[in-house]
Amino acid sequence: MDSKKIRHILTITTIVVFSSFLYSLSMNAFVDAGNLFPGGFSGISLLISRGAKMYFNLNIPFSIPYFSLNILVTILVFKYVGKMFIAYSVLWYTSTSIFTTILPVFPLTSDTLLIAVFGGILSGLGMALALRNNASSGGLDFIAIYASSRFNVSTWNYVFIFNSVILLIAGLMFGWTQALYSIIFQFCSTQIINEMHTRYKLKNLYIITTIPDEVCDAIFRTTRHGITKLWGEGAYSHEPKCFLFMTLNAYQVPEVVDSIRMVDPKAFINVATSERIFGNYYQKPLE
């Protein structure tokens, strides 16, 4: 393995551990301090931990059900996602299990609304950093990413709906006030993830150029997506123009636009959101 690859792995590992630390801070400084419930396997784990304490007087640490549930899902989805993605995700939720155990619970404020909003932001930031660097928090994220890869759509809003169901169950068990604040927490977290995680968001590029072959060659050096070429005429200049159309992932747009402007600084480029695609579309697999 060359030194560049080693540096890349070390960099991603550091970011993944740091993102799990941020998420653990949100758990201990906001979720536990405000007696809230996060979504996903974290929420299920807290339901188990607090339910065991309330109904059976058993002290089950959060990290035990959290780690156990994640290991189970990891085994189930192992052959459907990339091996490095699995490895970084295992690192993430293992680090989170450790950090939430060793970090103290330290409330930063007694205002439950502030706890819900800023705790959700910090939680979403930690998870989004992991997702942007080929990792996830495991659990429902694995399922969401598999569905996103399968259907080429972002599924985080569906995850929010599922998490809301978990929080409604928490409301039935432990009271509605904290459960409703927890939905605010989850909404803030989901919005941060939706904003930062752009892998499954699609964009359309509309390009007008006089040197289409050079532009197409530049694009093909950065991405494998196809391009449709149409010839037309400028209505004012009456000069021949070529119209290029392509669809690509949102995170690829800056690199592709830069490559176009390198060969044709005068190219006209319009970037638009694509709601849904049907047909053959290449989605770069997770490593």
Side-chain angles (χ1 to χ4, degrees):
M1 187 180 295
D2 58 32
S3 58
K4 184 177 180 180
K5 183 70 172 178
I6 293 174
R7 285 198 301 272
H8 175 73
I9 292 175
L10 289 176
T11 300
I12 298 300
T13 299
T14 302
I15 294 173
V16 168
V17 172
F18 177 69
S19 69
S20 75
F21 177 74
L22 290 180
Y23 182 82
S24 300
L25 282 179
S26 77
M27 292 292 295
N28 286 24
F30 293 98
V31 174
D32 277 357
N35 202 31
L36 302 181
F37 288 90
F41 281 13
S42 297
I44 294 173
S45 300
L46 274 179
L47 282 176
I48 294 172
S49 179
R50 293 180 184 176
K53 182 68 175 178
M54 175 176 290
Y55 296 107
F56 303 103
N57 199 29
L58 294 176
N59 187 20
I60 301 177
F62 163 83
S63 58
I64 293 177
Y66 178 73
F67 187 79
S68 301
L69 289 170
N70 275 294
I71 282 292
L72 177 62
V73 174
T74 301
I75 294 171
L76 292 175
V77 303
F78 183 79
K79 62 181 179 180
Y80 298 109
V81 295
K83 302 304 181 288
M84 290 303 296
F85 179 78
I86 289 287
Y88 288 134
S89 299
V90 171
L91 173 64
W92 196 93
Y93 63 70
T94 301
S95 299
T96 299
S97 298
I98 295 171
F99 285 138
T100 53
T101 301
I102 64 176
L103 289 174
V105 176
F106 51 101
L108 298 178
T109 175
S110 59
D111 190 311
T112 310
L113 180 59
L114 291 178
I115 288 174
V117 172
F118 287 96
I121 292 173
L122 186 60
S123 168
L125 180 61
M127 295 175 69
L129 273 176
L131 289 165
R132 286 173 66 95
N133 289 276
N134 200 36
S136 77
S137 62
L140 289 181
D141 283 5
F142 279 152
I143 299 171
I145 288 167
Y146 171 74
S148 296
S149 300
R150 178 71 175 80
F151 301 107
N152 278 322
V153 293
S154 178
T155 57
W156 297 109
N157 286 330
Y158 297 103
V159 172
F160 171 69
I161 293 172
F162 181 84
N163 287 333
S164 296
V165 173
I166 295 176
L167 298 177
L168 290 176
I169 295 172
L172 290 171
M173 293 177 62
F174 302 103
W176 290 108
T177 299
Q178 302 311 118
L180 293 175
Y181 275 121
S182 297
I183 291 178
I184 297 175
F185 171 94
Q186 191 59 45
F187 177 79
C188 293
S189 178
T190 302
Q191 294 310 303
I192 294 295
I193 295 172
N194 259 328
E195 189 66 29
M196 293 183 63
H197 187 232
T198 58
R199 178 178 175 83
Y200 300 104
K201 293 182 179 180
L202 302 177
K203 297 290 184 178
N204 293 327
L205 282 192
Y206 304 95
I207 308 154
I208 299 175
T209 179
T210 56
I211 50 172
D213 291 339
E214 290 85 344
V215 169
C216 288
D217 288 341
I219 293 173
F220 289 143
R221 285 194 291 268
T222 62
T223 181
R224 289 179 53 180
H225 299 300
I227 304 170
T228 299
K229 183 191 297 184
L230 299 170
W231 280 98
E233 179 184 286
Y236 180 79
S237 66
H238 299 291
E239 295 178 355
K241 303 282 186 178
C242 188
F243 175 82
L244 304 176
F245 169 78
M246 68 180 301
T247 300
L248 68 169
N249 295 91
Y251 72 91
Q252 297 173 308
V253 170
E255 184 180 10
V256 171
V257 170
D258 288 344
S259 68
I260 295 170
R261 295 183 63 82
M262 285 288 290
V263 297
D264 186 5
K266 296 182 179 180
F268 178 83
I269 306 170
N270 180 24
V271 182
T273 299
S274 176
E275 290 296 330
R276 186 78 183 271
I277 59 172
F278 299 91
N280 185 32
Y281 179 81
Y282 174 75
Q283 177 69 59
K284 183 180 178 182
L286 291 165
E287 297 177 356

